[in-house]
Amino acid sequence: MKYKVLITDPISESGIKLLESNNCEVIIKTDSPKYIDDIIENIDAWIIRSGTKILDIHIKKAKNLKIIGRAGVGIDNIDLDAATQHGIVVTNVPDGNSISAAEHTLAVILALSRNLHLGYDSLMKGKWDRANLIGNEIRNKTLGVVGLGKIGKEVIIRSQAFGLNVLGYDPFVDKNILNNDDVQIVSLDKLITDSDIISLHIPLNDSTKNLFDMKKLKKMKASAKIINVARGGIINEQDLASALNQNLIAGAGIDVFENEPLDKKNPLLKAKNCLLTPHL
């Protein structure tokens, strides 16, 4: 008997072939994840990325489901309580995209600092707006890293090459395992008020949802920028758009959104100096 493995988000062909060569019947529903009700009753395993949400209703229907594999880090799109109650193992890949996320973070920081997105947009509109888009150096600026797990640490390592001073905040990380020469551990409030750039590397949960609302955004420097390549919902999107449009902060780089794909009515699409990428 073959194990039935449902895949509802894109994974590599090599991964699919590996499953097929190990007694698995692979069912791919990446283009139509909504039409799975007649399938999930018989599946043994379910592989997802960030695009699929596995809810309590799915888990109750999946009578034979034994394991959910998250091809990535975050598991906030899986109902963990329901999975636990039904004896379903949930796995992820903690190191899977640490380097990619760290590199994307630095790319966004540099793009915002040098106004690359604004320069490109102005050229596409037939303008030569060089004088107003000079940008600034990040050397000797202060980077505040919220979340000092694998990705946060990789960001800190790379930030050293650019001469950034680093502040860090993470209530769950042992300060003794961090190099004090690389990062100064501070409170969240001090990080917010003292940073020129804030980068978020924390999971989405009850304590971090809307963590950065208007109240916290107002504490930032008017010249500061905020980056989120972690999870949508950590920054209140309406509040961020308002803060940008009111010039309360200078810019934002957002790769993740509360609802994905990005809704055409999302306020960030019309916000000032907001560099958006589609969960890359």
Side-chain angles (χ1 to χ4, degrees), residues 82-250:
T84 300
Q85 290 171 11
H86 289 80
I88 298 168
V89 175
V90 176
T91 67
N92 67 341
V93 191
D95 294 324
N97 65 348
S98 297
I99 302 301
S100 296
E103 289 183 355
H104 192 81
T105 298
L106 268 297
V108 172
I109 289 172
L110 290 169
L112 281 173
S113 298
R114 305 313 312 179
N115 291 323
L116 298 188
H117 57 306
L118 300 178
Y120 174 83
D121 185 58
S122 67
L123 281 175
M124 291 300 100
K125 292 177 180 177
K127 300 177 182 178
W128 185 264
D129 205 14
R130 180 171 181 261
N132 295 318
L133 299 175
I134 296 300
N136 55 73
E137 295 181 350
I138 61 173
R139 184 182 58 165
N140 295 326
K141 296 292 194 301
T142 298
L143 170 65
V145 179
V146 181
L148 301 174
K150 296 178 186 301
I151 298 173
K153 289 175 186 174
E154 294 292 348
V155 169
I156 292 170
I157 290 170
R158 284 153 183 76
S159 70
Q160 308 304 311
F162 292 97
L164 282 158
N165 303 309
V166 183
L167 301 179
Y169 169 77
D170 193 324
F172 303 108
V173 168
D174 185 353
K175 298 178 183 178
N176 295 323
I177 67 173
L178 297 168
N179 188 335
N180 291 331
D181 293 333
D182 295 338
V183 55
Q184 179 186 353
I185 306 301
V186 296
S187 68
L188 182 58
D189 279 346
K190 182 170 178 58
L191 182 147
I192 292 171
T193 57
D194 291 3
S195 296
D196 299 297
I197 306 160
I198 296 174
S199 189
L200 308 181
H201 304 285
I202 51 180
L204 177 67
N205 52 42
D206 291 342
S207 63
T208 62
K209 186 173 177 59
N210 291 320
L211 177 65
F212 276 77
D213 54 9
M214 183 58 81
K215 184 178 180 181
K216 284 191 172 63
L217 293 169
K218 282 183 175 179
K219 292 181 179 180
M220 292 173 60
K221 297 178 181 179
S223 58
K225 303 175 179 73
I226 189 165
I227 316 294
N228 186 13
V229 304
R231 278 292 176 268
I234 296 172
I235 304 176
N236 183 293
E237 293 173 350
Q238 185 62 62
D239 287 356
L240 176 59
S242 297
L244 289 165
N245 291 332
Q246 294 176 46
N247 298 317
L248 299 179
I249 64 173

Side-chain angles (χ1 to χ4, degrees), residues 38-58:
D38 59 335
I39 297 171
I40 59 175
E41 290 185 5
N42 300 312
I43 61 173
D44 298 288
W46 194 344
I47 296 176
I48 66 169
R49 292 175 68 184
S50 60
T52 298
K53 288 187 177 181
I54 299 182
L55 308 175
D56 177 60
I57 188 172
H58 299 128

